[in-house]
Amino acid sequence: MKLAIIAGPHRKVSQSAKVAGWIGKRLETLGHQAWILDLGNHKLPIWDDSFWDGGEYWDGIWKPIEAELKNADALVFVSPEYSGMASPGLKNFILYCNTATVGHKPVLIATVSASRGGAYPVAELRMSSYKNTKLCYIPEHIIVRDAEHVLNGPDSVSKEDSYLRDRIDFALKILVSYGDALKAVRDSGVTVKKEFANGM
C-alpha cells in the first residue's frame, strides 16, 4: 500500500520531520510505500480562493502534491503542538485538499511535543478538518512526548521509547487495515454525489 505522510512543522529542522521520517521508514519495513511531505522545507503559500481558479501558479505548487495524495490509500498527519494548537502549516495544507484528493481515506494523527503536551492538536484536527475534505480519522492516534529523547535510532533507549515504537506499529497496522477497507468503499461509488460534495 502507498501512504502519504504530511509533516506540519514550520521549522526547517524539527522533531516532527524526524517523527515523520521514522514512521515512513517503519512503513517501508512493514512492506509499504511511504511518501513524505515536510512542510517545514516545502512551504505552501497561505491558501486563498484564487486557488479555485487554478492556473499556472497554483498548478505548479499543488499538482505534484495532489498526484501523490491521489495515489495514496491512507495518510498520516504529523503535527507539532504550537501553543496548544495544531500546526497552522498543516491546517493550511488541509485547505488545499478536497474530496477527490483525500476523501474517504483513513488518516492517523500523530502529534509531537517537546515536553508532556500533544493532546490538543489531536482534538483540534478531529473537530475541525474533515467536513469538506471527507477525511476519515481513525480512532487510534499517536502522541510523541519528550520528542528529543525518542525515535532517534534503530533501537529503543528507554522503556518509554520502546512503548512508543510498539504503539506506532499497532496504529500503523490499524491504519493499513482501514486503507484496505475504505478503498472498497471509494470504489463502490456511493461516496460520489456532486450535490453533496461538501459536508453539512
Side-chain angles (χ1 to χ4, degrees), residues 41-155:
N41 286 287
H42 191 105
K43 297 186 185 299
L44 292 172
I46 297 296
W47 180 93
D48 68 61
D49 61 1
S50 67
F51 174 72
W52 290 332
D53 298 329
E56 186 176 341
Y57 171 74
W58 287 116
D59 287 351
I61 292 166
W62 185 244
K63 289 296 183 185
I65 297 170
E66 181 181 56
E68 297 286 352
L69 295 173
K70 284 183 175 180
N71 286 329
D73 285 315
L75 301 96
V76 180
F77 288 170
V78 182
S79 178
E81 183 176 73
Y82 290 155
S83 298
M85 298 182 290
S87 155
L90 179 58
K91 294 180 77 174
N92 183 56
F93 163 83
I94 294 169
L95 290 174
Y96 281 83
C97 295
N98 59 32
T99 56
T101 308
V102 298
H104 304 280
K105 294 183 180 182
V107 184
L108 170 66
I109 297 171
T111 62
V112 180
S113 173
S115 58
R116 302 305 296 168
Y120 287 112
V122 175
E124 184 179 351
L125 289 168
R126 288 192 188 282
M127 178 179 68
S128 67
S129 52
Y130 68 91
K131 184 179 86 73
N132 290 349
T133 59
K134 309 289 179 79
L135 290 163
C136 294
Y137 290 115
I138 67 170
E140 193 65 32
H141 61 259
I142 297 295
I143 301 176
V144 179
R145 297 184 166 112
D146 295 320
E148 291 183 11
H149 305 292
V150 295
L151 306 180
N152 287 318
D155 301 313

Side-chain angles (χ1 to χ4, degrees), residues 1-5 20-36 71-76 106 108 168-181:
M1 179 180 292
K2 181 170 182 178
L3 298 95
I5 304 171
W22 196 92
I23 291 173
K25 288 178 183 174
R26 190 65 191 140
L27 283 166
E28 290 171 356
T29 299
L30 295 170
H32 305 287
Q33 292 180 280
W35 173 78
I36 299 174
N71 286 329
D73 285 315
L75 301 96
V76 180
L108 170 66
I168 290 171
D169 273 8
F170 174 71
L172 290 178
K173 288 172 184 175
I174 293 172
L175 177 65
V176 168
S177 292
Y178 270 92
D180 286 333

